[in-house]
Amino acid sequence: MAGKGTTYEWQNGAVAWFDRRLPIFSMMRTELVDYPTPRNLNYWWNFGSLAGIIRVIKIGTGVMLAMHYTPHADHAFDSVERIMRDVNYGWLLRYMHMNGASMFFVVVYIHMFRGLYYGSYKSPREVLWGLGVIILLLMMATAFMGYVLPWGQMSFWGATVITNLFSAIPLVGESIVQWLWGGFTVDNPTLNRFFSLHYLLPFLIFGVVFLHLWALHISKSNNPLGIDIKGPQDTLPFTPYFTIKDLFGLGVFLIIYLFFVFFAPNFFGEPDNYIKANPLVTPPHIVPEWYFLPFYAILRAITFDIWFLSAKLLGVIAMFAAVLILFFLPWLDRSPVRSGRFRPLFKPFFWLFAANCILLGVVGAKPPEGNWIWIGQLATAYYFAYFLIILPLLSIIERPLPLPSSISTAVTAMGIGVPARGVAE
Amino acid sequence: MTRLRTIARGMAATLAVILLANPALAAGGVEAPRQQWGFNGIFGTFDRGALQRGWQVYREVCASCHSLEFIAFRNLEGIGLTPEQVAAIAGEFEVQAGPNDEGEMYMRRAIPPDRLPKPFPNAAAARVANNGALPPDLSLIVEARPFGMESFYKPTGADYVYALLTGYHEPPEGFVLGAGMYYNEYFPGHQIAMPPILNDGGVTYVDGTEATQSQQARDVVTFLTWAAEPNLEERRQMGVGVTLFLIVLTAFLYATKRKIWADAH
Ligand code: HEM
């Protein structure tokens, strides 16, 4: 979204007048219509625009929910029930917002695994990827605080458990926790600041998404072959080719998303959150939302002290490291080949990594006892080994398959319908 | 093709992990048997007769201990009563109002916008009357028990409440029951402070239905499911329309996509 860009001759006088003063129409034309897009993008490239659309749906429904929600420990739960029962279509707003959070994570996780498989994090897209990781961190904070707002049992106890993690920090831990809470337990001040931040962060995310797209349009999209664009024959204009493809993807996505909204709106939720928060009654199982489960499993995998570091502190460090390590990924994986298609050794390790993430999710949902402990530790070990050992090692020992000479030779001309990989193998 | 196969294999493995992990989930207590409910499924709706009988059971039996705080009299139009009937029902209750000009609180007849009165002024009073246990508010009870309102394969909150109400029996030998506690098959830990309150013929239905224990339990569970989400039917109806619309729209989008891409290969 560079400001300079081309300017266009506009037919409409008013548009032309405005565009000479602020070339917003030219910019939209450059970035959304003419933007040269690799012609071989598959459907995994739909998930970025889907994430953007969910962002908008979430902000829209969220702003309307906030008009009826009361951020007070004594009234929050009741006000949410009023939204469900008395506000016109309040139930629809709330269920769309709730399930939107789950869908957001589904879509963004797929978006990220797409990047992991096709090597989209590699040069020249390191900044684009890093901005993505910042978005992920902001999303997690937003979702966590949003879940506290209905002030049900899981809201309250989830907030208590997670904020308490900071008490593991040596010396200042306790003070930090009290500072976060605004008191000596999770209570009304906590709820108030969480509401304020839950309203703020999505707009920050919006800003970072803008930078993300700017970076994307500088380095251009990667593609399933992972090779660079060599010329105009390799690309198609974004409109109409990819606008219609994204719209079709949106249709499919909405069918799935709204299926949950209308027919199983509490599928991703916890029944306990329909019980008003009660500081005196601890629920038997405190589980975070499903999208945090893999990280929760990593948090609990560390059950031993090392030297003067407590198991709890190490768990917290491991959990944060699990996200932060993504920042360093472009420099850990040194293989010059981007796409996993041409990396025979990388492929099995990648799929094992994906399965391992799901396994971590299952472990996160289980009480930390019996076999689940060592399964969780093994899975955590693989999670980190993938980044710290396997990828660096593969960069050295792997012999990638020969790459096609260009996108267009691989996917068009002599081979209508001949898939790119056919050329490669 | 091999890529598709890899993906399929990955998905099968994932599913296996999830399914294998599942029995452990259920190990916490005795699982309630799944019942056939008219309100289950995408096209499920509430039987209006059952709702009204369930309201009668709630009012005559449960209301002496349990509140239903999110339901106002006016909501009862949702179980198929006319506004006149609702106004008449409200008129049979008294609610506290005030303060008046003298600063006094006073009792007046309820009107449709009033919430249903609660049986106890506060939690402490409720505990004193119930052997130290607190009868929970029932507005969301169906949603607040495992698997809530809708589940594709697991027993729902409705199945659980039904099983609870009909699941009392003598404790097995060796089971030590606390004073004033009752043995219930389905309650976690099996000791519940709520006495078995539903008996054959315990209420006399105005519509003449025979009031067996299981009939009353079914009716009151239907009513409580409605109370947990009075918009349930509207939600699903709208869902059917929206889904059909989206399927047609998406089909058109796909056709358009094919057409646009026809020259691009
Ligand atoms: C609010 C969340 C996000 C939004 C709205 C968003 C949006 C987008 C969009 C519209 C694209 C271009 C279309 C596509 O390639 O799918 C894109 C590309 C990309 N995104 Fe995101 N994104 C989000 C989160 C993330 C996260 C969490 C990461 C990784 C940590 C990430 C990494 C990338 C990368 C590497 C690309 C370039 C992909 C390529 O060209 O192969 N994004 N993003």
Side-chain angles (χ1 to χ4, degrees):
Chain A
M1 297 195 184
K4 39 187 171 58
T6 356
T7 44
Y8 294 83
E9 292 301 320
W10 294 96
Q11 299 292 314
N12 183 313
V15 170
W17 181 91
F18 193 89
D19 200 65
R20 276 194 298 278
R21 283 148 185 88
L22 181 67
I24 205 159
F25 295 101
S26 288
M27 182 178 121
M28 290 199 311
R29 173 90 197 251
T30 319
E31 305 302 337
L32 297 175
V33 178
D34 296 343
Y35 175 65
T37 315
R39 57 196 307 149
N40 61 333
L41 294 189
N42 56 29
Y43 278 104
W44 298 116
W45 266 258
N46 277 51
F47 288 86
S49 73
L50 281 183
I53 290 164
I54 305 174
R55 180 74 287 165
V56 173
I57 293 177
K58 289 223 61 173
I59 289 184
T61 51
V63 166
M64 282 190 277
L65 286 173
M67 293 176 187
H68 302 281
Y69 170 77
T70 312
H72 188 289
D74 294 343
H75 305 290
F77 189 91
D78 295 7
S79 74
V80 169
E81 275 309 311
R82 280 191 58 96
I83 291 172
M84 293 295 292
R85 290 154 193 268
D86 294 341
V87 172
N88 290 330
Y89 297 107
W91 56 270
L92 182 57
L93 290 176
R94 169 151 185 264
Y95 281 155
M96 281 183 72
H97 198 78
M98 254 168 70
N99 287 279
S102 281
M103 290 298 144
F104 202 17
F105 277 93
V106 170
V107 163
V108 166
Y109 284 155
I110 294 177
H111 186 68
M112 292 175 64
F113 275 102
R114 182 281 316 265
L116 287 175
Y117 184 75
Y118 292 110
S120 299
Y121 47 84
K122 292 186 187 179
S123 172
R125 298 187 183 81
E126 300 94 325
V127 170
L128 169 58
W129 172 262
L131 288 165
V133 181
I134 294 176
I135 295 173
L136 180 68
L137 283 167
L138 288 171
M139 271 173 71
M140 290 176 143
T142 310
F144 165 65
M145 287 187 277
Y147 193 58
V148 176
L149 301 184
W151 210 243
Q153 273 291 68
M154 262 325 145
S155 301
F156 180 87
W157 289 98
T160 303
V161 170
I162 300 297
T163 47
N164 250 318
L165 294 179
F166 291 91
S167 70
I169 300 172
L171 305 178
V172 289
E174 292 295 333
S175 322
I176 291 184
V177 173
Q178 285 178 13
W179 176 73
L180 287 174
W181 284 342
F184 298 103
T185 55
V186 172
D187 204 342
N188 195 47
T190 328
L191 177 60
N192 273 269
R193 61 191 57 188
F194 277 20
F195 179 54
S196 168
L197 292 173
H198 182 73
Y199 209 137
L200 171 70
L201 292 191
F203 294 91
L204 279 188
I205 295 179
F206 231 168
V208 185
V209 166
F210 182 81
L211 297 178
H212 187 70
L213 292 181
W214 187 0
L216 173 77
H217 282 225
I218 297 294
S219 55
K220 303 284 182 280
S221 293
N222 184 27
N223 65 82
L225 296 173
I227 55 178
D228 289 332
I229 298 170
K230 303 262 160 61
Q233 71 283 4
D234 287 348
T235 64
L236 292 168
F238 190 77
T239 302
Y241 294 98
F242 291 94
T243 19
I244 186 64
K245 196 172 175 181
D246 279 350
L247 277 175
F248 166 59
L250 175 64
V252 175
F253 167 76
L254 284 179
I255 292 174
I256 297 168
Y257 168 32
L258 294 181
F259 175 86
F260 284 106
V261 168
F262 287 114
F263 302 121
N266 293 299
F267 179 80
F268 296 106
E270 270 298 315
D272 269 21
N273 228 23
Y274 281 102
I275 305 171
K276 220 178 274 192
N278 184 347
L280 301 177
V281 179
T282 319
H285 290 186
I286 303 178
V287 277
E289 290 281 83
W290 70 266
Y291 37 79
F292 292 136
L293 290 175
F295 300 100
Y296 197 52
I298 291 175
L299 168 78
R300 298 189 305 181
I302 317 288
T303 50
F304 40 83
D305 299 346
I306 298 180
W307 202 24
F308 64 92
L309 300 171
S310 67
K312 186 176 173 188
L313 178 60
L314 289 168
V316 175
I317 292 173
M319 181 178 73
F320 281 103
V323 183
L324 297 181
I325 201 170
L326 293 170
F327 279 118
F328 302 99
L329 178 57
W331 296 277
L332 291 168
D333 178 1
R334 316 277 333 185
S335 169
V337 173
R338 292 197 192 101
S339 173
R341 274 193 199 175
F342 304 108
R343 303 188 58 191
L345 276 182
F346 164 87
K347 244 190 248 186
F349 285 109
F350 170 83
W351 288 111
L352 191 60
F353 176 75
N356 187 59
C357 286
I358 292 168
L359 177 63
L360 278 171
V362 174
V363 175
K366 300 294 172 194
E369 53 197 32
N371 286 340
W372 293 113
I373 296 186
W374 65 262
I375 296 178
Q377 290 173 340
L378 214 63
T380 303
Y382 183 74
Y383 183 93
F384 286 106
Y386 178 78
F387 293 110
L388 294 175
I389 302 172
I390 296 171
L391 286 181
L393 216 58
L394 285 185
S395 326
I396 303 170
I397 61 175
E398 187 180 45
R399 254 196 71 228
L401 303 174
L403 298 176
S405 57
S406 78
I407 295 174
S408 58
T409 49
V411 300
T412 57
M414 72 243 192
I416 292 186
V418 173
R421 52 180 298 105
V423 179
E425 289 176 357
Chain B
M1 261 348 265
T2 48
R3 191 153 53 100
L4 273 187
R5 241 180 288 136
T6 324
I7 295 175
R9 248 183 273 137
M11 281 158 108
T14 311
L15 205 67
V17 171
I18 292 173
L19 291 181
L20 281 178
N22 228 329
L25 252 185
V30 181
E31 202 169 86
R34 279 193 76 136
Q35 308 287 329
Q36 294 290 327
W37 298 106
F39 52 78
N40 274 351
I42 290 176
F43 300 102
T45 50
F46 293 115
D47 170 353
R48 289 291 176 279
L51 282 179
Q52 291 175 24
R53 289 193 300 275
W55 156 242
Q56 191 186 341
V57 175
Y58 168 75
R59 180 182 172 177
E60 291 179 14
V61 184
C62 321
S64 55
C65 299
H66 292 280
S67 58
L68 200 60
E69 63 172 331
F70 294 120
I71 297 295
F73 290 103
R74 67 184 160 82
N75 295 127
L76 294 174
E77 286 180 34
I79 65 170
L81 301 179
T82 62
E84 293 72 35
Q85 284 171 313
V86 168
I89 289 174
E92 295 162 17
F93 288 79
E94 289 213 312
V95 291
Q96 195 182 45
N100 61 13
D101 295 343
E102 276 87 54
E104 308 281 334
M105 304 303 281
Y106 60 95
M107 298 304 281
R108 65 156 168 77
R109 269 176 177 221
I111 50 171
D114 288 323
R115 301 272 183 111
L116 300 186
K118 299 181 180 184
F120 300 103
N122 52 55
R127 281 186 193 275
V128 167
N130 283 284
N131 202 12
L134 180 68
D137 183 82
L138 292 183
S139 310
L140 284 161
I141 198 81
V142 171
E143 201 87 278
R145 288 297 174 271
F147 303 101
M149 190 88 86
E150 278 135 333
S151 163
F152 301 114
Y153 61 106
K154 282 292 193 179
T156 59
D159 295 325
Y160 167 74
V161 176
Y162 176 82
L164 182 85
L165 291 173
T166 56
Y168 287 89
H169 48 79
E170 287 302 310
E173 230 166 292
F175 190 96
V176 191
L177 213 51
M181 301 296 272
Y182 305 85
Y183 186 86
N184 190 297
E185 183 74 30
Y186 299 98
F187 190 68
H190 301 302
Q191 290 209 56
I192 186 165
M194 172 167 80
I197 18 80
L198 291 181
N199 309 305
D200 289 339
V203 297
T204 309
Y205 280 134
V206 281
D207 69 0
T209 305
E210 194 191 340
T212 60
Q213 187 200 48
S214 66
Q215 181 69 41
Q216 294 171 57
R218 281 193 77 81
D219 292 340
V220 80
V221 166
T222 307
F223 173 72
L224 291 177
T225 306
W226 167 84
E229 213 182 314
N231 298 314
L232 180 74
E233 291 167 323
E234 185 194 3
R235 154 155 79 75
R236 288 180 181 158
Q237 249 170 28
M238 189 192 270
V240 171
V242 168
T243 307
L244 287 177
F245 169 78
L246 279 174
I247 288 175
V248 173
L249 177 74
T250 306
F252 276 115
L253 287 170
Y254 183 64
T256 316
K257 193 239 154 202
R258 293 280 303 234
K259 186 129 192 277
I260 289 176
W261 277 75
D263 67 347
H265 288 292

